[in-house]
Amino acid sequence: MKRCKAIAWIVAAATAVTLLTGCSADPTKYEILNDEGYTVSVRYDANGGEFTAGTSVIVDSFDVSKAPKDGEGNAALSLLDPMHPSRLGTDKSTPKDGCFLVGWYRQCDKSVDENGNEVITYGERWDFEKDVLTVDPDGSYSADEPVLTLYAAWAPKFEIEVRERGTEYVQRGDFNPNEITELKTPAWNEETGELDMFAVPKRDGYTLKTLYLDPEGKQPVTAQTFAHPGVIDYETATVQNPLLTLYADYEVGEWYRIHTVDQFKDNIGINNSYEIMADLDFTDESWPTAFLQGNYNGTIRGNGHTIKNVTFEQNNFEKTGYGLFGSLADGAVVENITFDNVCFTVKKGVKLVDTCIGLFAGRISADATVKNVAVTNSTLQIATSFYCGTTEYSMGTVCGSGDATLIRPAQIAVEVVGENPDELKVTVEGNSVTVGD
């Protein structure tokens, strides 16, 4: 159907225009519209929401003399949805907090129930694809008196409640059912390494293991999608069954499944945990500084895979722990993994008291877990420019401090690199490495 050209503009309220009219000799917007022939107006009331210009009402005005006619000779006006992409940004409706837009309605009756709560009843939903506003082309109209007002109808967003099995923990989230018509089951993203939760609420500091439909854990959610019981009655702008309760088992930590070096580096965090799903080759790639100098407190499950061809150096004397891991904190876990062809070069002076240096870790805390970890074909290099500045430091092939026997046997060679006119001496006794006389 041919659409009649409309002029759209924004008003805060009709009374505001009236007040402006009384305070200025300039013509009002309504008077300008009337003079230009745009005498038929349609008002859109955001009804608790607002438009992006910060107002609750916008108005479209039409010149009926230019409008197409229906079979009875009436002007047939096709209205433009306030949310239509072709509208200017200032016309767009923004949501009411915690609600979604059900639609636009001609009828909006407000009352108060016995508890003093406002009750809104909607009727006569407007279908912008099918409905047409007809007006008598010979009628007398004024732009400041809308021939039709459409009201936005808001309903509470659908909710998903996730309860941890065996505890009182509850996590809630919501979503717009007009935007998400099919709920997706959380799934691991092989491109990013993250667990995509989609509309299911995420629990900070934990990772979802299994999602269930029942508290006993007999009905795991295994399909790619699942249903929400919520139903929208568009005739009355009401919803039924807006809450879905699910049950979950969690694992402590922010977990990532790692297939590539880029995934590993993109998701680095000293408290994050990693499931290694493939061998990782760090040729021409940098080892994460957060691990090199940080206090790692997560878990790495190697699943028998290898991290290889890692080259890094210690050239910062502002930290007290250096290695593939600066420190493994109490509670950290590294298991079932091989580090192969690792080269760690110690270049600058330690200078800080109690500094610990080791190819695998500067420190391994007593309550850290290192299990089934191998270090093979690797080298700890001592640069001839190395100068401690203090005698209170420790250096080892595996670790500067901690139980080096957790990695056994460790294939780590120690060598001096660079010109050595001062005949720098390096002594290795078991795990211990001493530089100097």
Side-chain angles (χ1 to χ4, degrees):
M1 174 180 289
K2 181 180 178 182
R3 292 185 179 271
C4 174
K5 180 180 178 181
I7 291 181
W9 51 283
I10 301 172
V11 296
T15 53
V17 175
T18 302
L19 289 172
L20 288 174
T21 302
C23 297
S24 172
D26 295 332
T28 67
K29 291 182 178 180
Y30 289 123
E31 291 171 338
I32 294 172
L33 291 171
N34 286 330
D35 289 343
E36 294 180 351
Y38 289 85
T39 58
V40 173
S41 294
V42 175
R43 183 174 181 268
Y44 299 94
D45 187 337
N47 194 27
E50 65 177 29
F51 296 93
T52 50
T55 183
S56 61
V57 172
I58 62 172
V59 173
D60 285 350
S61 295
F62 301 84
D63 182 347
V64 294
S65 69
K66 299 177 181 178
K69 305 297 189 293
D70 64 11
E72 298 180 359
N74 293 315
L77 306 178
S78 295
L79 306 185
L80 186 63
D81 190 329
M83 300 298 289
H84 196 279
S86 66
R87 282 191 179 270
L88 297 176
T90 53
D91 285 350
K92 297 292 179 62
S93 177
T94 56
K96 182 178 178 180
D97 287 346
C99 296
F100 71 96
L101 180 65
V102 181
W104 295 86
Y105 292 78
R106 299 180 66 150
Q107 178 185 340
C108 176
D109 297 326
K110 297 183 180 181
S111 60
V112 177
D113 65 17
E114 59 185 12
N115 297 317
N117 300 315
E118 183 181 58
V119 177
I120 304 178
T121 303
Y122 297 98
E124 300 183 52
R125 184 178 189 233
W126 190 270
D127 187 332
F128 289 95
E129 295 297 322
K130 299 178 181 178
D131 292 339
V132 176
L133 175 64
T134 58
V135 297
D136 181 357
D138 299 323
S140 177
Y141 306 101
S142 175
D144 62 346
E145 297 181 3
V147 299
L148 172 68
T149 296
L150 294 178
Y151 300 90
W154 304 97
K157 291 182 179 180
F158 285 8
E159 289 188 293
I160 299 177
E161 174 186 82
V162 181
R163 294 180 172 271
E164 183 178 23
R165 294 194 318 119
T167 76
E168 298 298 318
Y169 179 80
V170 179
Q171 179 84 12
R172 279 199 174 197
D174 57 33
F175 66 95
N176 183 341
N178 284 333
E179 295 177 353
I180 301 176
T181 58
E182 187 176 60
L183 292 175
K184 295 181 179 180
T185 302
W188 289 99
N189 187 321
E190 291 194 7
E191 292 185 4
T192 66
E194 298 179 81
L195 179 63
D196 288 336
M197 295 298 290
F198 305 113
V200 176
K202 182 182 183 300
R203 182 180 181 183
D204 291 339
Y206 291 78
T207 300
L208 178 69
K209 290 179 64 178
T210 310
L211 198 62
Y212 302 92
L213 296 174
D214 64 309
E216 293 79 20
K218 296 179 180 179
Q219 302 177 59
V221 179
T222 56
Q224 291 183 343
T225 61
F226 60 97
H228 191 286
V231 176
I232 305 172
D233 184 342
Y234 286 102
E235 293 302 314
T236 61
T238 57
V239 299
Q240 297 177 356
N241 304 320
L243 175 65
L244 169 65
T245 299
L246 299 170
Y247 303 86
D249 291 336
Y250 292 101
E251 185 163 21
V252 176
E254 301 280 354
W255 280 86
Y256 300 86
R257 286 189 177 178
I258 303 302
H259 298 79
T260 68
V261 170
D262 286 342
Q263 285 178 354
F264 192 54
K265 294 171 66 175
D266 288 345
N267 295 302
I268 284 300
I270 59 173
N271 297 313
N272 292 344
S273 294
Y274 308 91
E275 188 95 23
I276 307 301
M277 309 302 290
D279 292 347
L280 303 179
D281 187 345
F282 271 78
T283 301
D284 298 326
E285 298 282 353
S286 59
W287 184 249
T289 301
F291 282 0
L292 169 64
Q293 301 174 0
N295 190 32
Y296 183 63
N297 194 38
T299 296
I300 297 177
R301 291 181 187 149
N303 294 316
H305 291 293
T306 298
I307 294 178
K308 61 184 179 181
N309 302 326
V310 180
T311 300
F312 62 99
E313 60 187 35
Q314 188 283 105
N315 56 13
N316 180 338
F317 42 70
E318 298 301 322
K319 305 293 182 179
T320 61
Y322 301 94
L324 279 169
F325 303 94
S327 297
L328 290 180
D330 291 343
V333 177
V334 181
E335 61 185 11
N336 300 321
I337 192 167
T338 296
F339 294 92
D340 183 65
N341 193 29
V342 178
C343 182
F344 176 19
T345 304
V346 184
K347 298 182 67 174
K348 286 189 175 182
V350 172
K351 293 189 177 179
L352 296 180
V353 172
D354 197 30
T355 295
C356 298
I357 300 171
L359 183 137
F360 176 68
R363 288 183 175 83
I364 301 177
S365 298
D367 290 329
T369 298
V370 179
K371 182 180 179 181
N372 294 330
V373 175
V375 178
T376 57
N377 306 311
S378 296
T379 306
L380 177 65
Q381 297 182 338
I382 313 297
T384 55
S385 59
F386 177 77
Y387 172 73
C388 299
T390 176
T391 59
E392 297 183 46
Y393 78 95
S394 58
M395 184 185 303
T397 54
V398 173
C399 58
S401 173
D403 186 357
T405 65
L406 293 171
I407 297 177
R408 183 170 31 183
Q411 299 175 13
I412 302 173
V414 179
E415 62 182 35
V416 177
V417 293
E419 296 182 5
N420 194 10
D422 297 329
E423 297 183 349
L424 179 72
K425 295 181 180 179
V426 176
T427 303
V428 180
E429 294 183 2
N431 172 69
S432 178
V433 178
T434 303
V435 180
D437 296 335

